[in-house]
Amino acid sequence: MRFCFARVWLFCAAALALSACGNPSGPYTAAGSTAAPTAPERSDTSGYQVIYRFPGRAGGALPASGLVTLDGQLYGTTSSGGNGCDNDQCGTVFVTNADGSTHVLFNFNSLNGAFPQASLLALKGKLYGTTEAGGKYAYSDVPTGTVFALTIAGQQHTLVNFRGTDGGTPMANVVALDDVLYGTTEYGGKYTSPSGTCGTVFKVTPSGKHSVLYNFDCIRPSTDGYAPTAGLVPYKGVLYGTTTEGGAHGAGTVYSITPDGKERVVYSFAGGHDGGDPAEGLIVYNDEFYGATPVGGAYYLGTIFAVSPSGKKRIVYSFKGTRKDGILPNSVIEVDGKLYGTTYLGGSHPCAMIRSGCGIIYALTTSGTETILHDFAGGTDGRYPTGALTEMNGSLYGVTEQGGGGSGNCYYTRSSFGGCGTIFTIAPIK
């Protein structure tokens, strides 16, 4: 499966989830009617609170990735909204405080980037990120996108304008290793195929010197992966990541790459019980890499896995897709020895046309014991959580892509989805 917009693929995968776990019964009614910023709202005994509801249009809409912390504040992106484009849909960078005070820091206008899908990187007092589209070559017929730098005062500088042969459609964040930024593009690169191009790993200095570090090969007979939609994680001077496709079995890979471009497939997914199509980033904990697959596992509804640098892999948890469990897991984080994450779908509250649940927040031990912290109802508490959670001052923060209530213009079709997304907080397990 290929990615267009990140969430489109997830909706496609939801069809598989429904066929496997059934169609929950009962009507869905969106609660609430305002998308304006509000005071924190307690939703259940877990300490879940909505601290902000995106209003759409100039205020931003549809956050598609997690938050980062810098000097006691939280920064993130919305994939739509803002006032930089004629249609108010190119996206924003925003800043928020723990009390929910939020404002737009920067508006994308297509020529400086469009549709940011990834979280930001905070490095030496600046923010670095990517946009899926836009840039200098925005109106060409090749995969485009940008890497940008942004001060906390809102001054933006485009570091890279992708134009196809050097990569295109960066869906993930950049990371830093020895003061150099590294990232991936889902498309673009040296090798081409009838279905598109294979993707790259790139590096760029904070001053904007850019080069392709590796071209994934989806043409010649090989076990190489391709179509990376997730970012990289540094570990002992080497970078590790995932590809959604390719590998020995065609269901994606975990790979490593050195700063001088030597790539190695660490593990090839088979797409069955061991998971497949990994689209999320990895984290490192106790010398293992933890990640998520949106499909596969014991119930074919997604997994959390762990893999060693040598390629020894185990399934930590297989999502069940019942009314109380999740479907389509996002990235995880580790706090005090436990894993915390969200699933884009699943839970006991049917959501809109998909009706497979509005998502959950969960805690997970590294041995595979799951605790549900919040079951999204899809109304004022939001729906479709996306991206990784972030820890700040002992609390966890995250976003939902939709929900929150109201009827703002949120999506590319200008349709109302009962809210343009939320920022929430929840307490970790003590």
Side-chain angles (χ1 to χ4, degrees):
M1 293 183 233
R2 302 298 299 221
F3 283 64
C4 294
F5 295 104
R7 299 306 109 186
V8 172
W9 182 89
L10 292 175
F11 278 104
C12 293
L16 295 175
L18 287 176
S19 65
C21 67
N23 188 11
S25 60
Y28 165 73
T29 302
S33 59
T34 175
T38 63
E41 171 184 88
R42 184 173 298 278
S43 294
D44 58 25
T45 57
S46 69
Y48 178 88
Q49 298 176 357
V50 172
I51 63 172
Y52 186 73
R53 297 181 175 91
F54 289 94
R57 290 190 178 272
L62 306 181
S65 59
L67 306 169
V68 298
T69 61
L70 178 61
D71 296 333
Q73 293 184 300
L74 297 157
Y75 292 82
T77 62
T78 64
S79 62
S80 187
N83 60 15
C85 290
D86 291 339
N87 58 9
D88 299 334
Q89 292 176 354
C90 282
T92 73
V93 176
F94 64 86
V95 56
T96 189
N97 294 310
D99 65 358
S101 303
T102 302
H103 69 269
V104 171
L105 186 64
F106 182 77
N107 294 280
F108 292 99
N109 66 12
S110 189
L111 290 178
N112 62 22
F115 314 133
Q117 300 287 335
S119 59
L120 301 165
L121 168 71
L123 179 66
K124 295 184 177 180
K126 287 187 177 181
L127 300 165
Y128 296 87
T130 62
T131 64
E132 175 195 18
K136 181 179 179 181
Y137 305 99
Y139 300 103
S140 64
D141 59 355
V142 298
T144 60
T146 72
V147 180
F148 65 89
L150 185 69
T151 70
I152 58 173
Q155 296 175 319
Q156 187 261 9
H157 174 60
T158 301
L159 301 179
V160 182
N161 290 282
F162 291 104
R163 54 181 177 179
T165 54
D166 64 343
T169 318
M171 299 292 290
N173 60 301
V174 292
V175 299
L177 179 62
D178 297 330
D179 292 332
V180 176
L181 306 178
Y182 295 85
T184 63
T185 66
E186 182 185 9
Y187 297 110
K190 176 181 177 182
Y191 301 104
T192 60
S193 72
S195 62
T197 46
C198 310
T200 71
V201 177
F202 66 85
K203 65 179 181 180
V204 58
T205 66
S207 63
K209 185 178 179 181
H210 161 241
S211 61
V212 175
L213 189 64
Y214 185 76
N215 291 279
F216 290 98
D217 187 354
C218 59
I219 304 300
R220 301 174 301 177
S222 73
T223 59
D224 197 13
Y226 63 97
T229 62
L232 301 161
V233 60
Y235 178 69
K236 295 184 177 180
V238 178
L239 298 157
Y240 290 80
T242 62
T243 66
T244 61
E245 300 192 50
H249 312 291
T253 70
V254 174
Y255 66 92
S256 68
I257 187 164
T258 63
D260 60 357
K262 295 178 182 177
E263 189 253 12
R264 175 177 68 92
V265 173
V266 176
Y267 184 81
S268 289
F269 292 90
H273 282 190
D274 76 330
D277 305 340
E280 304 289 341
L282 303 170
I283 65 165
V284 184
Y285 178 61
N286 280 349
D287 296 319
E288 286 186 299
F289 301 101
Y290 288 83
T293 68
V295 297
Y299 308 93
Y300 207 74
L301 296 172
T303 74
I304 301 299
F305 66 87
V307 62
S308 71
S310 64
K312 184 177 179 181
K313 178 182 167 292
R314 62 188 176 92
I315 295 294
V316 178
Y317 188 76
S318 290
F319 290 92
K320 302 179 182 66
T322 63
R323 291 190 175 210
K324 291 294 184 181
D325 202 6
I327 302 170
L328 302 176
N330 298 305
S331 298
V332 296
I333 63 167
E334 178 271 326
V335 178
D336 295 333
K338 289 186 175 67
L339 305 175
Y340 291 86
T342 62
T343 65
Y344 190 71
L345 299 177
S348 62
H349 301 283
C351 256
M353 291 181 295
I354 294 181
R355 303 179 64 80
S356 59
C358 306
I360 64 168
I361 305 171
Y362 65 91
L364 187 66
T365 67
T366 57
S367 60
T369 300
E370 183 199 51
T371 302
I372 303 297
L373 302 181
H374 183 71
D375 183 352
F376 287 93
T380 56
D381 70 331
R383 63 175 174 267
Y384 311 146
T386 185
L389 298 171
T390 300
E391 190 274 337
M392 186 176 76
N393 298 330
S395 295
L396 303 176
Y397 293 85
V399 301
T400 65
E401 188 182 42
Q402 295 179 27
S407 57
N409 287 324
C410 307
Y411 204 53
Y412 301 104
T413 61
R414 291 186 177 271
S415 297
S416 169
F417 281 71
C420 301
T422 71
I423 303 172
F424 64 80
T425 184
I426 194 167
I429 295 176
K430 300 299 184 182

Short mmCIF file of all heavy atoms in Angstrom, two decimals, residues 57-58 80-91 108-110 114-115 409 411-412 414:
data_model
loop_
_atom_site.label_atom_id
_atom_site.label_comp_id
_atom_site.label_asym_id
_atom_site.label_seq_id
_atom_site.Cartn_x
_atom_site.Cartn_y
_atom_site.Cartn_z
N ARG A 57 -9.75 27.06 9.84
CA ARG A 57 -9.38 28.25 9.09
C ARG A 57 -8.09 28.85 9.64
O ARG A 57 -7.10 28.15 9.82
CB ARG A 57 -10.52 29.25 9.05
CG ARG A 57 -11.71 28.81 8.17
CD ARG A 57 -12.69 29.95 7.98
NE ARG A 57 -13.80 29.56 7.11
CZ ARG A 57 -13.79 29.67 5.79
NH1 ARG A 57 -12.73 30.14 5.17
NH2 ARG A 57 -14.85 29.31 5.08
N ALA A 58 -8.08 30.14 9.95
CA ALA A 58 -6.84 30.82 10.35
C ALA A 58 -6.25 30.25 11.64
O ALA A 58 -5.05 30.36 11.87
CB ALA A 58 -7.10 32.32 10.52
N SER A 80 -3.63 21.39 8.06
CA SER A 80 -4.54 22.25 7.32
C SER A 80 -4.78 23.52 8.13
O SER A 80 -4.26 23.68 9.23
CB SER A 80 -5.85 21.53 7.02
OG SER A 80 -6.70 22.28 6.18
N GLY A 81 -5.56 24.44 7.57
CA GLY A 81 -5.81 25.69 8.24
C GLY A 81 -4.69 26.70 8.03
O GLY A 81 -3.77 26.49 7.24
N GLY A 82 -4.77 27.79 8.76
CA GLY A 82 -3.83 28.89 8.59
C GLY A 82 -4.35 29.88 7.56
O GLY A 82 -5.29 29.62 6.83
N ASN A 83 -3.71 31.03 7.50
CA ASN A 83 -4.14 32.04 6.54
C ASN A 83 -3.09 32.35 5.50
O ASN A 83 -3.10 33.40 4.88
CB ASN A 83 -4.57 33.33 7.26
CG ASN A 83 -3.44 33.95 8.08
OD1 ASN A 83 -2.27 33.58 7.92
ND2 ASN A 83 -3.77 34.86 8.97
N GLY A 84 -2.16 31.40 5.27
CA GLY A 84 -1.12 31.63 4.29
C GLY A 84 -1.53 31.34 2.87
O GLY A 84 -0.93 31.85 1.92
N CYS A 85 -2.57 30.51 2.68
CA CYS A 85 -3.05 30.14 1.35
C CYS A 85 -4.43 30.77 1.09
O CYS A 85 -5.16 31.06 2.03
CB CYS A 85 -3.18 28.62 1.21
SG CYS A 85 -1.62 27.75 1.17
N ASP A 86 -4.76 30.89 -0.17
CA ASP A 86 -6.06 31.44 -0.52
C ASP A 86 -7.20 30.60 0.04
O ASP A 86 -8.26 31.10 0.39
CB ASP A 86 -6.21 31.56 -2.05
CG ASP A 86 -5.30 32.63 -2.63
OD1 ASP A 86 -4.89 33.53 -1.86
OD2 ASP A 86 -5.03 32.57 -3.84
N ASN A 87 -6.97 29.28 0.13
CA ASN A 87 -8.03 28.40 0.61
C ASN A 87 -7.90 28.07 2.10
O ASN A 87 -8.61 27.20 2.61
CB ASN A 87 -8.07 27.11 -0.20
CG ASN A 87 -6.74 26.36 -0.15
OD1 ASN A 87 -5.83 26.71 0.62
ND2 ASN A 87 -6.61 25.33 -0.96
N ASP A 88 -6.98 28.74 2.79
CA ASP A 88 -6.79 28.54 4.23
C ASP A 88 -6.48 27.09 4.58
O ASP A 88 -6.91 26.59 5.61
CB ASP A 88 -8.04 28.99 5.02
CG ASP A 88 -8.36 30.45 4.85
OD1 ASP A 88 -7.43 31.22 4.57
OD2 ASP A 88 -9.55 30.82 4.99
N GLN A 89 -5.71 26.40 3.76
CA GLN A 89 -5.53 24.98 4.00
C GLN A 89 -4.08 24.51 3.89
O GLN A 89 -3.84 23.31 3.78
CB GLN A 89 -6.39 24.17 3.01
CG GLN A 89 -7.87 24.33 3.26
CD GLN A 89 -8.71 23.62 2.23
OE1 GLN A 89 -8.21 23.09 1.27
NE2 GLN A 89 -10.02 23.62 2.43
N CYS A 90 -3.11 25.38 3.93
CA CYS A 90 -1.71 24.95 3.77
C CYS A 90 -1.06 24.51 5.07
O CYS A 90 0.02 23.92 5.05
CB CYS A 90 -0.89 26.06 3.12
SG CYS A 90 -1.13 26.19 1.34
N GLY A 91 -1.68 24.82 6.22
CA GLY A 91 -1.14 24.35 7.48
C GLY A 91 -0.42 25.42 8.28
O GLY A 91 -0.13 26.52 7.78
N PHE A 108 1.96 28.44 6.58
CA PHE A 108 2.55 28.02 5.31
C PHE A 108 1.72 28.56 4.14
O PHE A 108 0.49 28.65 4.23
CB PHE A 108 2.64 26.49 5.25
CG PHE A 108 3.62 25.93 6.23
CD1 PHE A 108 3.20 25.41 7.44
CD2 PHE A 108 4.98 25.94 5.94
CE1 PHE A 108 4.11 24.91 8.36
CE2 PHE A 108 5.90 25.44 6.86
CZ PHE A 108 5.46 24.92 8.06
N ASN A 109 2.41 28.90 3.05
CA ASN A 109 1.71 29.49 1.90
C ASN A 109 1.96 28.75 0.59
O ASN A 109 1.78 29.31 -0.48
CB ASN A 109 2.09 30.97 1.75
CG ASN A 109 3.55 31.16 1.38
OD1 ASN A 109 4.25 30.22 1.02
ND2 ASN A 109 4.03 32.39 1.48
N SER A 110 2.36 27.51 0.65
CA SER A 110 2.67 26.65 -0.48
C SER A 110 4.09 26.88 -0.99
O SER A 110 4.87 25.94 -1.08
CB SER A 110 1.67 26.81 -1.63
OG SER A 110 1.90 25.81 -2.62
N ALA A 114 3.84 23.26 2.41
CA ALA A 114 2.41 23.02 2.58
C ALA A 114 2.18 21.64 3.18
O ALA A 114 2.92 20.70 2.92
CB ALA A 114 1.69 23.11 1.22
N PHE A 115 1.13 21.54 4.00
CA PHE A 115 0.66 20.29 4.59
C PHE A 115 1.72 19.60 5.46
O PHE A 115 2.13 18.48 5.17
CB PHE A 115 0.16 19.31 3.51
CG PHE A 115 -0.73 19.92 2.48
CD1 PHE A 115 -0.53 19.68 1.14
CD2 PHE A 115 -1.77 20.76 2.85
CE1 PHE A 115 -1.34 20.24 0.17
CE2 PHE A 115 -2.60 21.34 1.90
CZ PHE A 115 -2.39 21.08 0.55
N ASN A 409 -14.45 24.86 9.21
CA ASN A 409 -13.99 24.26 7.96
C ASN A 409 -12.62 23.63 8.21
O ASN A 409 -11.63 24.32 8.38
CB ASN A 409 -13.91 25.33 6.87
CG ASN A 409 -15.28 25.75 6.40
OD1 ASN A 409 -16.18 24.92 6.31
ND2 ASN A 409 -15.44 27.02 6.11
N TYR A 411 -11.33 20.36 6.63
CA TYR A 411 -10.73 19.38 5.75
C TYR A 411 -10.61 19.95 4.35
O TYR A 411 -11.09 21.02 4.04
CB TYR A 411 -11.58 18.10 5.76
CG TYR A 411 -10.84 16.84 5.38
CD1 TYR A 411 -9.66 16.48 6.02
CD2 TYR A 411 -11.32 16.01 4.39
CE1 TYR A 411 -8.99 15.32 5.68
CE2 TYR A 411 -10.66 14.84 4.05
CZ TYR A 411 -9.49 14.50 4.70
OH TYR A 411 -8.83 13.35 4.36
N TYR A 412 -9.91 19.21 3.49
CA TYR A 412 -9.65 19.70 2.14
C TYR A 412 -10.94 19.91 1.34
O TYR A 412 -10.97 20.70 0.41
CB TYR A 412 -8.74 18.72 1.40
CG TYR A 412 -7.43 18.55 2.12
CD1 TYR A 412 -7.17 17.40 2.87
CD2 TYR A 412 -6.46 19.54 2.08
CE1 TYR A 412 -5.97 17.25 3.54
CE2 TYR A 412 -5.27 19.39 2.75
CZ TYR A 412 -5.01 18.25 3.48
OH TYR A 412 -3.84 18.10 4.15
N ARG A 414 -13.54 21.15 2.76
CA ARG A 414 -14.26 22.16 3.55
C ARG A 414 -15.49 21.58 4.26
O ARG A 414 -16.43 22.30 4.58
CB ARG A 414 -14.66 23.37 2.70
CG ARG A 414 -13.47 24.20 2.25
CD ARG A 414 -13.95 25.46 1.54
NE ARG A 414 -12.83 26.30 1.17
CZ ARG A 414 -12.30 27.24 1.96
NH1 ARG A 414 -12.78 27.40 3.17
NH2 ARG A 414 -11.30 27.98 1.54
#
